[in-house]
Amino acid sequence: MQYPMSPSELAEELGHNPGVHPGHRVRKFLRLRYPDHPSHQPWLLDKEMADAVRAHFEVRNHFDRRAGRRPRLLDR
């Protein structure tokens, strides 16, 4: 892994469906976690930021396996 990396590259690593907006779920999490990031500026993720995203989605993936799970904010 090379840093800095883009949210799209990290989303691909995490196995998210690229769809029309690759990295959308990652950027959504980043906006919530780092609200001081300037608006409309590209995200360049360092190791700390990328590890925070990985940890978040690792926990979410664990709970996604529950039966009857309802979608939450970052699933949209």
Side-chain angles (χ1 to χ4, degrees):
M1 288 169 251
Q2 292 189 343
Y3 299 99
M5 68 187 331
S6 72
S8 297
E9 292 168 333
L10 185 55
E12 183 178 332
E13 174 190 318
L14 295 171
H16 294 179
N17 183 359
V20 178
H21 302 286
H24 175 76
R25 290 177 66 199
V26 171
R27 285 190 302 277
K28 197 171 203 176
F29 168 75
L30 290 168
R31 284 192 293 271
L32 293 172
R33 176 76 183 254
Y34 303 100
D36 294 337
H37 183 77
S39 296
H40 306 290
Q41 296 299 312
W43 288 92
L44 296 175
L45 309 182
D46 59 19
K47 182 172 179 0
E48 177 187 330
M49 295 168 88
D51 287 344
V53 172
R54 287 183 190 105
H56 172 76
F57 285 104
E58 183 177 305
V59 168
R60 288 192 57 79
N61 288 338
H62 171 75
F63 287 104
D64 282 348
R65 294 188 206 116
R66 292 182 300 167
R69 181 189 158 277
R70 294 179 58 194
R72 294 194 182 142
L73 174 65
L74 293 178
D75 292 338
R76 297 184 201 137

